[in-house]
Amino acid sequence: RLAHDLSGWQVHHALFEDVPLVEQSYDLVVLLHSIFAFANGGSIERILSLRSRHGVVLVASNDKDSFLAGLKRLVDEGYSDQRYEIGDVERDLERLGVHYERMSFETRWVVHCELPTDLECILHWISLGNFDRMSASRQEVIRDYVAENSILAGSRRFFCEKESVLLI
């Protein structure tokens, strides 16, 4: 149950590895679509160490078999470092013997095609700003993937995204 007085909440806007957090002190740790940015796989141990005795960690991200996961795999091809994704969290929790519950749901969203910058914005976001530097053939593969995994209706392109939530 959440208290009505949220004055004790702390919000940090920095790389997870750079935030000075007090270990074993948080009742709720929420990670919303942010795990891909972890610099190393050891971050899960730090996240778990942040929980108070009866604390909960909630991790929400796109599912490992989702549209965005597939798009990330395409734009990440050829890079030596990989994003830390929901499947990696599950693997690490199992390796550590930590119990968790998994829930799934879908979100639906739309991009207006008469505004090509909307779709381009998504491609630049997922590629971490590198889409324009990719070869023309790679860009074509990525655009084909988007077209095959969305529905074009008039001036709008519809997407359906599988999401996962881990409750630890």
Side-chain angles (χ1 to χ4, degrees):
R1 183 175 149 172
L2 293 176
H4 294 285
D5 177 16
L6 302 179
S7 62
W9 285 43
Q10 296 177 7
V11 177
H12 302 280
H13 298 282
L15 290 175
F16 177 70
E17 294 81 7
D18 295 338
V19 176
L21 300 171
V22 179
E23 308 298 321
Q24 300 286 334
S25 63
Y26 299 93
D27 294 328
L28 179 63
V29 177
V30 179
L31 301 160
L32 298 175
H33 292 276
S34 58
I35 57 174
F36 71 91
F38 287 170
N40 62 60
S43 296
I44 194 67
E45 287 93 344
R46 182 164 187 224
I47 292 166
L48 295 172
S49 75
L50 296 174
R51 294 183 298 176
S52 63
R53 184 168 181 213
H54 297 289
V56 174
V57 175
L58 184 137
V59 180
S61 186
N62 55 282
D63 192 76
K64 56 188 169 190
D65 296 323
S66 69
F67 165 73
L68 287 176
L71 188 56
K72 289 175 190 178
R73 283 190 292 274
L74 284 175
V75 301
D76 289 352
E77 204 169 279
Y79 289 100
S80 59
D81 60 337
Q82 298 296 308
R83 300 174 206 236
Y84 190 76
E85 296 288 351
I86 200 80
D88 299 311
V89 174
E90 289 179 296
R91 181 200 64 227
D92 287 344
L93 290 172
E94 289 167 8
R95 176 182 55 82
L96 295 168
V98 175
H99 173 76
Y100 65 94
E101 294 179 41
R102 182 184 216 279
M103 296 162 271
S104 298
F105 62 95
E106 290 184 346
T107 56
R108 295 172 191 262
W109 47 288
V110 64
V111 171
H112 293 274
C113 296
E114 56 196 35
L115 301 171
T117 55
D118 288 352
L119 185 54
E120 295 299 313
C121 182
I122 292 166
L123 296 175
H124 286 279
W125 165 62
I126 290 293
S127 69
L128 303 175
N130 291 313
F131 188 73
D132 288 338
R133 287 176 244 167
M134 294 179 181
S135 69
S137 61
R138 181 100 215 87
Q139 289 180 5
E140 183 179 350
V141 166
I142 291 168
R143 284 194 172 97
D144 287 347
Y145 174 83
V146 169
E148 292 167 7
N149 290 281
S150 60
I151 297 170
L152 184 60
S155 65
R156 299 183 298 174
R157 185 171 296 278
F158 292 84
F159 298 88
C160 183
E161 180 65 13
K162 294 182 207 172
E163 308 279 353
S164 291
V165 175
L166 303 182
L167 192 59
I168 310 165

